[in-house]
Amino acid sequence: MKDGFIKVACITPKVRVADVTYNVKQIQEAMEASAKAGAMIVVFPELCITGYSCHDLFYQRTLLTQAKAGLLSLAKKTEDLSGIFFVGLPWEHQGKLYNVAAALCGGKVLGFVPKTYLPNYAEFYEARQFTPGMQEIVNVCLEGQETDIPLGTDQVFRCREIPELVIASEICEDLWTPCPPSGRHCLHGATLIANLSASDEVTGKNAYRKDLVAMTSARLYCAYLYASAGEGESTQDVVYSGHSLIAENGSILVESDLFATGMVLSEIDVYAITAKRHMMSTYEMTDADYYETYFSLPLQETKLTRFVDKAPFVPSDEASLRRRCEEILDIQSMGLKKRLAHTGAKTAVIGISGGLDSTLALLVTVRAFDMLGLDRKGVIAVTMPGFGTTDRTYQNAVSMIKSLGATFREISIRDAVLQHFADIGQDAECHDVTYENGQARERTQILMDIANKEGGMVIGTGDMSELALGWATYNGDHMSMYGVNVSVPKTLVRYLVSYYATYLADEALADVLRDVLDTPVSPELLPPKDGVIAQKTEELVGPYELHDFFLYHLMRYGSEPKKIYRLAKYAFAEDYDEATILKWLHTFYRRFFAQQFKRSCLPDGPKVGTVSLSPRGDLRMPSDACAELWLEQIASLYK
């Protein structure tokens, strides 16, 4: 359970209708298998001890008595197993039958959670046998004696070792209703919902079920374990598919095949769940009375098997990626369209280097002009060759501008920068930070002055990854009148340009864009070597795919450096060794804290995704905050 990861399982055992002895044996074997696999939270289907489809056999005392005995047998088995287990059975209380989920741990029954909503429509008629669950907590009787075992819906099970792990339960139909109990449970602290289900299968229902589970976990910021009945249930009128799902914060981590029995495993991240709740000011917890039962789990490192995306800002499937790219281009363009219309700007001025960021900014600017019905000639695209400009980037910039129908201008900065160096006493042969930043600020001055002269605005080109690292010249490329790329990470910039080349550009422009994609990322502020770019950004500050990964987990979940390091090692196991990841993680944190002052005075620009560094939006951070706590933790990771 290190770093908040806890292995969980949903199990669909093969059952026999009303054969409690057989079912208990199957459940016990499955419990042992799940424990061997390392699962600490295990959910079985609704009424699995007897089988869901017993119908009026639930009235039979023989069945009820055997079910109770089977439950106690399973509870005793948990003395030897690490974990908490949820199993379903019919339970009699004060002359009424309840469809309950029983929580088992440490050799005991911790509590019974009855089903709140009993379906009594179409193929369902549960209200014939069962009584809706009560919210108030009562104590159950075993063998004629009252116990302290609670029965009622308003209860949670809290882990002593990880207080953030709070489990509640609902049963099948509860999820499908307008006001599921899970909403109430989560507002009382539950971070994981165990749903014991017996959902029959009809055409198309599995897709709806999957969406329902995913969206419930998204809306409630929780983990959701949905274990459904399958093979062995009666097929007199319906068929049960055993469709089990494990979801977290809106993502399906794993799902079973339809019409299969067995176990699905994954790991839920309880710290990520609580982090999202911390950030949501509208997630209003309630302090109304809820019954809490504590349980214990052994503290150990959970081996990860879940998918950890090494490009979390980029959708993994092609269809989603295409949709996302189109949406982002629209958001960027609509933001700029509004700003151009509001200011009455006649032109948009943009510096084009032939690199990825300025390419995307130009594509967005042209798109905004098209939306406004303006002549693309109003887009003044300026190339400003300097000491580090290469023929490749220059030719790409010129070709791109002309292909898009923008106004092309070329202004060399060499003489102006040399004059400036002479004025401040800078040796032009000393290629230090003054040498580099002097060029960047000269370019920005040119763009600003052209914008004044032409009644326009300067469009910023810098992306979010550069802002995270502070890889921008203060009051140079850091400054603009509207930054269209301000919340687009570098890893996504590449896909946006690629999308444009593939689906929106003519062949000539597509060829240029593809070459831009093949060009190393560079500010081109140092003289080239033999005509080739000498200054490669990722050799200086590290791979952007690593930095974007770090940024995502820092901002989205507030994860600690040690957890981000662990996730990065897992995600990039085939790409980087541990020393390399740790080196750039240290660089990321050092620069992220030190460079906040640049983000504090960031120009306006549109938020396009879940993470943004805007000082007016997602990141309110003091520019002089200390990084020692984070850097000390990173230092402790060195072996």
Side-chain angles (χ1 to χ4, degrees):
M1 296 182 286
K2 184 179 179 182
D3 300 324
F5 288 111
I6 303 160
K7 190 171 289 293
V8 299
C10 290
I11 299 179
T12 299
K14 185 176 180 179
V15 299
R16 291 178 182 171
V17 178
D19 190 342
V20 172
T21 302
Y22 176 86
N23 296 341
V24 167
K25 183 175 184 294
Q26 297 302 308
I27 294 168
Q28 179 175 316
E29 289 176 357
M31 290 167 61
E32 293 169 349
S34 68
K36 187 175 181 180
M40 292 291 177
I41 304 166
V42 183
V43 182
F44 287 89
E46 180 179 9
L47 295 169
C48 57
I49 287 180
T50 58
Y52 172 78
S53 47
C54 290
H55 301 318
D56 283 358
L57 291 178
F58 287 124
Y59 296 140
Q60 298 296 313
R61 179 151 301 280
T62 301
L63 184 67
L64 298 177
T65 301
Q66 287 299 310
K68 183 182 294 186
L71 174 72
L72 296 178
S73 171
L74 291 173
K76 184 173 178 58
K77 180 63 182 176
T78 63
E79 284 181 337
D80 305 320
L81 301 175
S82 297
I84 181 169
F85 303 84
F86 290 82
V87 296
L89 75 157
W91 189 261
E92 182 183 13
H93 179 74
Q94 294 186 349
K96 297 293 183 181
L97 289 181
Y98 295 91
N99 177 347
V100 304
L104 313 178
C105 184
K108 299 178 180 179
V109 180
L110 300 184
F112 295 97
V113 181
K115 189 172 186 175
T116 300
Y117 296 99
L118 303 176
N120 220 48
Y121 56 85
E123 65 266 35
F124 302 106
Y125 52 96
E126 284 184 39
R128 178 180 172 91
Q129 294 100 23
F130 296 106
T131 299
M134 71 291 284
Q135 287 187 233
E136 66 276 12
I137 299 297
V138 297
N139 291 332
V140 304
C141 289
L142 284 177
E143 299 176 348
Q145 300 293 319
E146 185 174 305
T147 71
D148 59 358
I149 302 173
L151 166 68
T153 61
D154 288 6
Q155 61 176 308
V156 293
F157 306 93
R158 185 182 294 273
C159 181
R160 292 187 180 89
E161 292 72 20
I162 303 182
E164 295 88 349
L165 176 58
V166 182
I167 307 172
S169 182
E170 61 184 10
I171 301 177
C172 198
E173 182 74 11
D174 291 345
L175 171 65
W176 302 69
T177 61
C179 298
S182 52
R184 191 170 70 251
H185 296 332
C186 287
L187 293 182
H188 283 84
T191 51
L192 185 149
I193 302 296
N195 187 312
L196 291 69
S197 179
S199 181
D200 64 315
E201 203 60 52
V202 294
T203 302
K205 190 176 182 180
N206 66 305
Y208 182 83
R209 184 188 300 117
K210 183 176 179 178
D211 288 343
L212 188 60
V213 169
M215 290 311 300
T216 299
S217 73
R219 180 173 55 84
L220 298 179
Y221 292 106
C222 71
Y224 203 98
L225 276 60
Y226 186 96
S228 194
E231 186 177 355
E233 292 287 357
S234 173
T235 59
Q236 180 175 357
D237 293 301
V238 295
V239 173
Y240 299 88
S241 68
H243 188 205
S244 295
L245 303 119
I246 298 174
E248 174 191 296
N249 285 344
S251 297
I252 298 294
L253 301 180
V254 65
E255 67 176 312
S256 68
D257 294 331
L258 295 182
F259 308 107
T261 56
M263 175 169 54
V264 290
L265 287 159
S266 189
E267 303 81 43
I268 60 111
D269 185 351
V270 71
Y271 290 171
I273 292 166
T274 54
K276 291 303 298 180
R277 293 184 180 184
H278 293 162
M279 297 173 189
M280 289 293 295
S281 61
T282 53
Y283 202 101
E284 298 179 354
M285 306 296 287
T286 176
D287 59 359
D289 287 340
Y290 240 57
Y291 194 90
E292 287 196 355
T293 300
Y294 283 82
F295 67 95
S296 290
L297 296 177
L299 283 174
Q300 60 190 43
E301 181 167 311
T302 301
K303 183 179 180 181
L304 295 180
T305 61
R306 61 185 277 174
F307 174 68
V308 177
D309 197 341
K310 62 182 180 182
F313 289 111
V314 182
S316 55
D317 67 281
E318 184 63 28
S320 296
L321 180 58
R322 285 183 60 180
R323 287 195 301 270
R324 185 73 58 83
C325 287
E326 189 66 25
E327 289 172 355
I328 291 172
L329 288 172
D330 278 343
I331 292 170
Q332 291 177 281
S333 303
M334 287 298 293
L336 180 56
K337 173 190 172 184
K338 164 67 175 177
R339 186 53 57 94
L340 290 167
H342 176 73
T343 60
K346 299 177 181 178
T347 61
V349 182
I350 182 169
I352 304 300
S353 66
L356 273 173
D357 290 342
S358 65
T359 294
L360 177 58
L362 178 60
L363 297 173
V364 168
T365 303
V366 167
R367 193 179 177 98
F369 265 63
D370 291 346
M371 288 178 172
L372 287 165
L374 299 176
D375 189 339
R376 290 185 178 186
K377 291 296 182 184
V379 179
I380 301 176
V382 188
T383 62
M384 294 167 283
F387 306 127
T389 303
T390 60
D391 289 342
R392 181 182 186 181
T393 55
Y394 172 79
Q395 291 300 332
N396 280 340
V398 173
S399 299
M400 189 190 324
I401 294 167
K402 292 182 176 178
S403 180
L404 287 166
T407 296
F408 168 69
R409 289 196 188 179
E410 179 177 334
I411 302 173
S412 173
I413 65 169
R414 290 173 177 269
D415 291 343
V417 171
L418 288 172
Q419 179 60 54
H420 177 61
F421 285 169
D423 292 341
I424 65 172
Q426 168 72 17
D427 183 356
E429 297 302 316
C430 178
H431 298 167
D432 57 7
V433 67
T434 303
Y435 177 89
E436 295 187 35
N437 287 346
Q439 297 173 69
R441 293 194 179 100
E442 178 61 28
R443 287 183 170 125
T444 299
Q445 175 180 265
I446 290 171
L447 296 174
M448 292 287 186
D449 290 344
I450 292 175
N452 291 159
K453 182 177 175 62
E454 300 292 344
M457 65 169 60
V458 176
I459 310 304
T461 62
D463 64 54
M464 184 169 66
S465 304
E466 293 178 341
L467 287 170
L469 297 169
W471 192 251
T473 299
Y474 191 82
N475 206 34
D477 54 315
H478 155 261
M479 191 51 59
S480 66
M481 296 170 184
Y482 195 76
V484 294
N485 297 339
V486 70
S487 65
V488 183
K490 185 76 77 177
T491 47
L492 190 53
V493 170
R494 179 171 296 279
Y495 282 93
L496 288 166
V497 173
S498 177
Y499 168 79
Y500 201 105
T502 303
Y503 300 105
L504 304 177
D506 59 34
E507 192 56 38
L509 177 58
D511 287 342
V512 176
L513 296 180
R514 282 191 281 266
D515 195 61
V516 170
L517 289 164
D518 289 338
T519 304
V521 177
S522 173
E524 291 196 317
L525 296 172
L526 297 180
K529 296 180 179 179
D530 300 322
V532 178
I533 292 173
Q535 188 181 24
K536 297 179 181 178
T537 298
E538 292 182 292
E539 293 179 356
L540 300 171
V541 296
Y544 276 117
E545 62 178 348
L546 282 178
H547 288 309
D548 282 357
F549 183 90
F550 302 154
L551 176 65
Y552 178 85
H553 288 278
L554 170 70
M555 291 295 296
R556 188 98 160 104
Y557 301 116
S559 297
E560 295 182 288
K562 63 181 182 180
K563 181 172 183 177
I564 297 176
Y565 175 55
R566 182 185 179 195
L567 290 172
K569 288 192 296 180
Y570 181 73
F572 293 95
E574 297 180 1
D575 304 292
Y576 302 100
D577 59 34
E578 294 182 5
T580 299
I581 294 171
L582 195 55
K583 169 188 173 182
W584 295 124
L585 182 64
H586 183 275
T587 296
F588 172 82
Y589 272 94
R590 176 179 58 80
R591 294 190 66 96
F592 185 83
F593 275 83
Q595 300 294 310
Q596 171 63 17
F597 73 99
K598 294 179 182 177
R599 300 187 290 267
S600 291
C601 56
L602 198 63
D604 291 356
K607 178 179 178 178
V608 302
T610 55
V611 174
S612 168
L613 299 179
S614 169
R616 299 167 295 277
D618 290 49
L619 184 61
R620 314 294 174 92
M621 174 179 167
S623 299
D624 49 5
C626 297
E628 271 69 18
L629 287 177
W630 290 264
L631 296 179
E632 286 173 3
Q633 188 176 113
I634 293 172
S636 71
L637 298 173
Y638 285 92
K639 296 178 179 179

